[in-house]
Amino acid sequence: MWPLLFLWNTELFSVFLSTLTAILIFVVTINIIKYMTSDLHIPIRDTSKQHNWRHAKLLSKPCYCSVCEALMVTGEGAYCDCCGVCADRGCIKTADRKIKCKAITSCEKGPARHHWVKGNLPLGASCYVCDEDCGSEYGLVDWQCCWCQRTVHSRCRIHIEEVCDFGPYRSHLIPPSCVVLTKKRSTVRRKLQLRAVKSPGWKDWTPLIVMANRKSGNNDGAIILSLFRRLLNPAQVVDLAEHPPETALEWCCLLGEVRATVLVAGGDGTIGWVLNAVDKLQLKPSPGVAILPIGTGNDLSRVLGWGKEHHPNFDPGTFLEQVQKARLVELDRWNVQVHPYRHLGIRLPVRNMNMYNYLSVGVDAQVTLDFHRTRESPFYIISSRLINKMLYLTYGTQQVMERGFRDLDQRLEVYLDGVKAELPSIESIVVLNIPSWGAGVHLWNMGADNEDIAPQSYNDNKLEVVALYSSFHIAQLQVGLSQPYRVGQASCVQIKLKALTPVQVDGEPWEQHPAELNITFRNQATVLTCVEVG
């Protein structure tokens, strides 16, 4: 019996060892391939090979094929989101071969010329020459320049100058003649890489770098990326699902003394990610960061005047006008340092992070943590702002019933500029840097009409600390039926956690073992505040 058992164990061990070895080799191979193919340079697409095709379902109107001129069924076929060429499935290869795409770079000397694309003009287009309706006839008719966006009748095209001035948004555009590329074998294959950026010599030139995650929102990120590729040089538009912000910020490094504008389409978490990358690279001059809100809360966007969410019929041209009129302001950047106490006899490493909006401990951090876990779940297959808000409501209601953070004041201590604060019976502590919290609640100023309350600002090097009594209290604050307990203002805040407690910083939650949280001023980020276009 024992020899048989020994042989069986030996065979099992051999099989287990072989399987484990194969898994390790597979994992190591995949990581080596990822490392060799990774590229921290700006993604440059070779437009001489093919168009940047996208599914035609992203278009809001039916189109005609640019090759066979047949009417494409709504949602069928593809379109190039760089130059606007459309093609049904059978004509895509022909379009790649015969129709030139929008150039990212150009070696041609002399003034730039229009890049005309026939047909499929935007609704309401008018001729630049005769000012009459354009592109409204049946079929693939009339023309549009994919650089200056001017539209013109076929009969009027001979009357327009062939030199292109890049249109009303040229102050944000990097023309092809200014982009200098080089071919390098930096990975396992040859790629085009950005080597330098030359100035076009235009007055008030502030190039715009657009960043968005195509997976964000209900396909909102993908649509926004496509809209700006059409208006700008496609290389100025970077998908954060494929490349980190540091890649896109290479533009700012190569522009030298020219201050760029960075447009971030996303929620508070995405904006913080980009602001952290700007701080890490220590860019001089620091680019101004504008916001296109496509997240759930969008508190920083509200404070800076960019709105609580973008309109479903978003017009990139109108938004660029707002960016042109926006003002540069400074936003306080705070350092959150987490010093864990010894846990099971082991001292865990100190954790550092930046904070721009707010930090909270307790019941609202638990709601954020529950939502975060749901969003990271493989069963979270439908992403939209409405569903996200419903999830927040569900988890908030759950906390109202459970009261899991009753008497949170017994589990932590709060110090403002080194002085211990006296707390009532509460379920949450919120440390504010900006006036907006919880998707638009002006927490610090609520019910302060007849009180001597110190003013709040996002660039005064001060924090505001408030306490919340319960999850039901949070619901009352959302509809303006209550006010928070104001703990006070301070230039340095310390929170000592005595038990395992959920914490969140700018929407990024985690469960924290007993520790000291020190929030101190770091520096200021350069952002843009919106001025209404009148």
Side-chain angles (χ1 to χ4, degrees):
M1 182 65 182
W2 285 106
L4 290 176
L5 184 61
F6 176 75
L7 289 174
W8 182 81
N9 286 336
T10 302
E11 183 178 353
L12 179 64
F13 178 75
S14 176
V15 172
F16 175 75
L17 184 61
S18 300
T19 304
L20 181 61
T21 303
I23 293 174
L24 288 174
I25 292 174
F26 176 76
V27 172
V28 170
T29 303
I30 292 297
N31 281 283
I32 290 175
I33 293 174
K34 285 184 177 180
Y35 174 77
M36 294 181 67
T37 57
S38 63
D39 194 354
L40 295 179
H41 295 279
I42 296 169
I44 303 295
R45 185 176 59 87
D46 189 352
T47 56
S48 64
K49 294 183 178 180
Q50 62 180 14
H51 292 270
N52 197 45
W53 297 111
R54 292 290 181 266
H55 199 287
K57 68 181 180 181
L58 296 177
L59 295 175
S60 58
K61 62 184 182 69
C63 296
Y64 296 91
C65 176
S66 299
V67 178
C68 66
E69 301 193 12
L71 178 64
M72 294 164 51
V73 179
T74 304
E76 293 296 325
Y79 79 103
C80 176
D81 65 356
C82 296
C83 66
V85 166
C86 297
D88 53 37
R89 293 179 180 177
C91 296
I92 289 178
K93 290 184 178 180
T94 305
D96 281 333
R97 187 172 66 254
K98 292 186 176 181
I99 303 177
K100 187 179 179 181
C101 189
K102 193 176 187 178
I104 290 174
T105 183
S106 173
C107 297
E108 296 180 3
K109 296 183 179 180
R113 295 179 177 273
H114 292 288
H115 183 145
W116 296 110
V117 177
K118 188 177 182 180
N120 299 316
L121 272 57
L123 296 175
S126 60
C127 179
Y128 181 71
V129 176
C130 66
D131 203 30
E132 295 182 1
D133 289 345
C134 195
S136 58
E137 300 176 12
Y138 177 82
L140 196 73
V141 296
D142 300 332
W143 301 82
Q144 181 177 24
C145 174
C146 59
W147 284 113
C148 67
Q149 310 303 319
R150 291 188 176 98
T151 54
V152 63
H153 291 122
S154 297
R155 65 178 182 274
C156 296
R157 186 177 158 187
I158 59 174
H159 300 296
I160 191 171
E161 187 179 357
E162 275 301 311
V163 175
C164 181
D165 64 358
F166 294 98
Y169 312 118
R170 73 174 193 167
S171 61
H172 292 309
L173 190 146
I174 303 177
S177 59
C178 295
V179 180
V180 182
L181 302 181
T182 182
K183 288 186 177 181
K184 288 186 177 181
R185 189 178 291 277
S186 59
T187 61
V188 293
R189 59 186 183 276
R190 294 181 68 85
K191 277 189 174 182
L192 292 173
Q193 287 188 6
L194 186 64
R195 188 179 70 184
V197 180
K198 298 182 294 185
S199 172
W202 298 335
K203 183 181 179 182
D204 299 327
W205 184 51
T206 55
L208 180 69
I209 312 303
V210 180
M211 304 184 199
N213 187 333
R214 69 173 185 274
K215 300 177 182 178
S216 295
N218 189 20
N219 210 31
D220 291 339
I223 295 173
I224 288 167
L225 288 171
S226 290
L227 289 172
F228 281 103
R229 286 193 192 101
R230 186 74 182 272
L231 287 184
L232 306 173
N233 189 323
Q236 295 175 241
V237 183
V238 180
D239 185 358
L240 295 177
E242 298 179 354
H243 304 275
E246 289 83 357
T247 298
L249 292 173
E250 186 180 5
W251 282 113
C252 303
C253 299
L254 295 173
L255 286 169
E257 298 297 322
V258 177
R259 185 192 294 273
T261 297
V262 173
L263 171 60
V264 184
D268 291 332
T270 304
I271 298 160
W273 186 24
V274 174
L275 290 176
N276 288 341
V278 173
D279 181 50
K280 178 182 176 182
L281 295 174
Q282 297 183 346
L283 299 173
K284 300 295 181 183
S286 180
V289 177
I291 302 171
L292 178 56
I294 60 174
T296 303
N298 303 316
D299 285 297
L300 186 56
S301 175
R302 297 167 191 262
V303 170
L304 297 177
W306 298 105
K308 60 181 181 179
E309 59 186 19
H310 83 287
H311 196 274
N313 299 320
F314 171 70
D315 179 15
T318 301
F319 190 83
L320 285 181
E321 292 179 17
Q322 293 178 323
V323 173
Q324 288 175 342
K325 295 178 179 291
R327 294 186 297 107
L328 286 171
V329 294
E330 300 298 321
L331 171 70
D332 289 343
R333 178 187 284 119
W334 298 85
N335 179 54
V336 179
Q337 194 173 66
V338 182
H339 289 269
Y341 299 136
R342 286 188 178 272
H343 180 64
L344 300 177
I346 302 173
R347 181 173 293 279
L348 300 174
V350 175
R351 182 178 181 184
N352 284 280
M353 65 200 77
N354 290 331
M355 183 189 82
Y356 302 93
N357 296 355
Y358 43 78
L359 172 150
S360 64
V361 179
V363 64
D364 65 324
Q366 181 64 55
V367 172
T368 305
L369 180 60
D370 291 337
F371 170 75
H372 180 77
R373 287 170 173 168
T374 302
R375 189 171 55 179
E376 296 298 316
S377 168
F379 301 102
Y380 184 74
I381 56 176
I382 302 176
S383 176
S384 72
R385 283 188 294 272
L386 178 61
I387 290 178
N388 291 343
K389 290 177 180 178
M390 290 177 63
L391 285 172
Y392 268 108
L393 177 62
T394 300
Y395 291 129
T397 304
Q398 178 183 343
Q399 292 301 320
V400 170
M401 304 300 294
E402 293 181 355
R403 296 291 307 275
F405 295 92
R406 186 187 296 110
D407 297 327
L408 179 68
D409 51 293
Q410 304 300 317
R411 296 188 241 171
L412 57 75
E413 296 177 355
V414 178
Y415 294 83
L416 305 185
D417 291 330
V419 179
K420 184 178 179 180
E422 296 298 326
L423 300 173
S425 178
I426 60 171
E427 292 190 16
S428 183
I429 285 287
V430 182
V431 182
L432 297 161
N433 180 44
I434 62 175
S436 181
W437 166 86
V441 179
H442 292 258
L443 203 57
W444 179 255
N445 293 319
M446 293 190 73
D449 297 337
N450 299 320
E451 300 181 34
D452 186 16
I453 301 299
Q456 184 180 19
S457 173
Y458 53 73
N459 54 15
D460 60 355
N461 298 357
K462 286 186 178 181
L463 295 166
E464 288 72 35
V465 182
V466 299
L468 309 177
Y469 299 116
S470 65
S471 187
F472 182 69
H473 184 210
I474 294 176
Q476 290 178 309
L477 292 169
Q478 293 284 345
V479 294
L481 295 179
S482 185
Q483 64 184 62
Y485 177 86
R486 297 178 187 83
V487 181
Q489 284 184 318
S491 300
C492 175
V493 177
Q494 183 184 59
I495 301 175
K496 295 183 178 181
L497 301 178
K498 303 176 183 179
L500 181 67
T501 313
V503 180
Q504 70 96 6
V505 175
D506 290 349
E508 298 299 323
W510 73 94
E511 281 191 312
Q512 180 61 52
H513 287 282
E516 287 185 7
L517 277 61
N518 294 313
I519 310 168
T520 55
F521 179 77
R522 176 177 172 82
N523 52 31
Q524 290 184 317
T526 303
V527 294
L528 287 167
T529 180
C530 180
V531 177
E532 289 295 330
V533 179

